Amino acid sequence: MAKILVTGGLGFIGSHTVVELQNKGFEVVIIDDLSNSSIDVLNRITSITGIAPSFEKLDLKDKPKVQAFFKAHQDIQGVIHFAASKAVGESVDKPLQYYENNINTLIYILQELQKLKTANFIFSSSCTVYGQADELPITENAPVKKAESPYGNTKQIGEEIIQDTCKVTSHLKAIALRYFNPIGAHSSAKIGELPIGVPQNLVPFITQTAIGIREQLSVFGDDYPTHDGTCIRDYIHVVDLAKAHVIALQRLIEDKNTSNFETFNVGTGTGSTVLEVIQSFEKVSGQKLNYKIANRRAGDIISAYANTTKANNELGWKAELTLDDAMASAWKWEQEIRSK
Ligand code: UD1
């Protein structure tokens, strides 16, 4: 079975994708520098699938090590590249760290893929490339807006670097998946999101508040032009998102792609407000959440949700799990990690 490299394979989305790859019979090699993940996740993946993935602790900024890795693994048939820094606020404070970590590493990997005979590459992009889109739901043809942060810029630049490389490398095929808001956890509650410090994202903040680690959730603004005044996002279950990666990879391996650089939105197609996410949490957990309405957060867009027609029809992928499923799994995961 095809051997697939998953960079950042011990992270939130990476670990769920490794599970789905193994479920489909792929042989997985994980690279992770453990800068924002735990080695324990390797055992947790193994306990879900019954198969231990290969693992190498490697910092992708170390170019000679990247070269040596690919030399030793010339039979790799695909690369799913998750390894990257992702905190928006931190990227504003440390732009060069973000450009070095997210761009240099991408270049080193692409340079190695250029040396192979065939190469299939899946890139973690983000709906952040659209900014506040003029038309909703957002299609892949919506214009890419000037990035609000160095993090967002690394996703835009990353896509451009891959596209330019594909133009001059006929054996390289790539898909950029533009994620909307990934949430939730595996149904086994063995893997999930592990934010370090105070969570910046909504769902981990909700579950940490409910379990008693945070006192109260602040809802950032209730005076937006939406039906209840709070911002709208497209929350996608991480297991559905993981499956999108496997399907995208199979598309490339089976030569079903229509050009050698493609982009797909990965969302549910449905927008939910912050208050609707809270209501979903309260419903599935059976408990009230302590929250208050606070000021708007700088940099937040009003509304973003995906048009999923291209992903549904061309990629053959569709989100199957609901917001309630995602909130229930996130809650189960939070309870699991705090029970230890
Ligand atoms: C954020 C990033 C985005 C990144 C994505 C990854 C910003 C501006 N954007 O998206 O670039 O790709 O995470 O998942 O940081 N909210 C609250 N209270 C909270 C936290 C969030 O009300 O304590 C609200 C926000 O105002 C927003 C919604 O919840 O309306 C979702 O926020 P969040 O989970 O941070 O995701 P995004 O801002 O959409």
Side-chain angles (χ1 to χ4, degrees):
M1 199 60 192
K3 188 176 180 181
I4 308 301
L5 168 62
V6 181
T7 75
L10 299 183
F12 173 42
I13 307 171
S15 58
H16 288 82
T17 302
V18 171
V19 167
E20 297 306 323
L21 283 168
Q22 290 187 322
N23 284 344
K24 290 281 178 209
F26 287 99
E27 182 189 342
V28 178
V29 182
I30 295 173
I31 287 179
D32 201 299
D33 68 357
L34 301 177
S35 62
N36 193 21
S37 59
S38 157
I39 189 66
D40 189 39
V41 174
L42 198 59
N43 296 330
R44 290 167 168 267
I45 291 170
T46 310
S47 75
I48 294 171
T49 62
I51 308 157
S54 307
F55 170 72
E56 203 161 314
K57 182 173 185 287
L58 197 153
D59 181 351
L60 291 165
K61 294 193 294 298
D62 188 336
K63 187 170 176 173
K65 288 226 170 98
V66 175
Q67 290 171 329
F69 176 88
F70 276 91
K71 217 170 176 185
H73 295 272
Q74 300 209 1
D75 53 342
I76 277 174
Q77 297 206 14
V79 177
I80 306 184
H81 180 42
F82 293 105
S85 304
K86 61 172 185 178
V88 176
E90 185 186 48
S91 80
V92 175
D93 297 333
K94 301 173 182 169
L96 293 179
Q97 186 182 308
Y98 269 66
Y99 289 118
E100 182 184 27
N101 200 28
N102 293 6
I103 301 298
N104 289 16
T105 57
L106 174 65
I107 293 171
Y108 300 158
I109 292 170
L110 291 174
Q111 284 172 332
E112 296 314 302
L113 296 184
Q114 275 195 321
K115 297 176 190 167
L116 301 177
K117 288 199 178 68
T118 60
N120 302 305
F121 185 70
I122 311 293
F123 180 63
S124 301
S125 189
S126 168
C127 68
T128 196
V129 303
Y130 301 119
Q132 178 59 71
D134 301 321
E135 279 176 43
L136 293 167
I138 305 171
T139 72
E140 289 80 354
N141 293 327
V144 168
K145 296 259 177 82
K146 186 174 163 34
E148 295 258 356
S149 69
Y151 159 75
N153 212 15
T154 65
K155 295 300 172 191
Q156 295 190 5
I157 298 168
E159 284 196 15
E160 288 171 8
I161 290 172
I162 298 162
Q163 193 167 21
D164 289 343
T165 311
C166 284
K167 277 183 199 150
V168 295
T169 317
S170 58
H171 70 263
L172 174 63
K173 294 178 285 178
I175 290 177
L177 295 177
R178 292 173 173 167
Y179 314 156
F180 281 68
N181 288 56
I183 61 164
H186 194 263
S187 57
S188 65
K190 289 182 171 158
I191 52 172
E193 198 171 0
L194 273 174
I196 294 172
V198 181
Q200 305 300 307
N201 295 112
L202 178 62
V203 172
F205 207 106
I206 289 176
T207 55
Q208 287 196 10
T209 304
I211 207 107
I213 298 172
R214 311 285 153 208
E215 200 183 323
Q216 189 176 45
L217 170 79
S218 291
V219 173
F220 296 138
D222 70 345
D223 56 352
Y224 285 100
T226 63
H227 58 267
D228 63 20
T230 63
C231 292
I232 293 175
R233 297 288 184 273
D234 185 338
Y235 295 92
I236 172 82
H237 196 303
V238 66
V239 172
D240 276 331
L241 174 57
K243 288 179 178 169
H245 289 79
V246 180
I247 291 171
L249 186 71
Q250 285 170 325
R251 175 182 176 84
L252 296 182
I253 290 174
E254 291 163 15
D255 263 325
K256 288 183 182 154
N257 53 310
T258 52
S259 74
N260 65 346
F261 177 75
E262 298 177 307
T263 55
F264 292 99
N265 285 342
V266 188
T268 65
T270 303
S272 304
T273 66
V274 177
L275 293 179
E276 285 164 350
V277 174
I278 294 171
Q279 279 156 18
S280 168
F281 174 79
E282 291 184 335
K283 185 169 98 185
V284 300
S285 69
Q287 68 177 77
K288 285 272 161 215
L289 186 78
N290 183 17
Y291 70 90
K292 63 168 185 195
I293 304 299
N295 289 334
R296 291 181 176 197
R297 177 172 72 175
D300 267 341
I301 55 168
I302 304 164
S303 183
Y305 51 98
N307 178 315
T308 60
T309 308
K310 191 179 173 202
N312 298 163
N313 296 347
E314 277 189 49
L315 191 59
W317 168 89
K318 199 175 191 320
E320 288 166 349
L321 299 164
T322 63
L323 177 63
D324 286 351
D325 294 332
M327 296 309 289
S329 67
W331 181 226
K332 190 176 167 194
W333 165 245
E334 186 72 60
Q335 290 172 299
E336 162 68 23
I337 51 178
R338 305 303 162 193
S339 67
K340 298 266 147 53

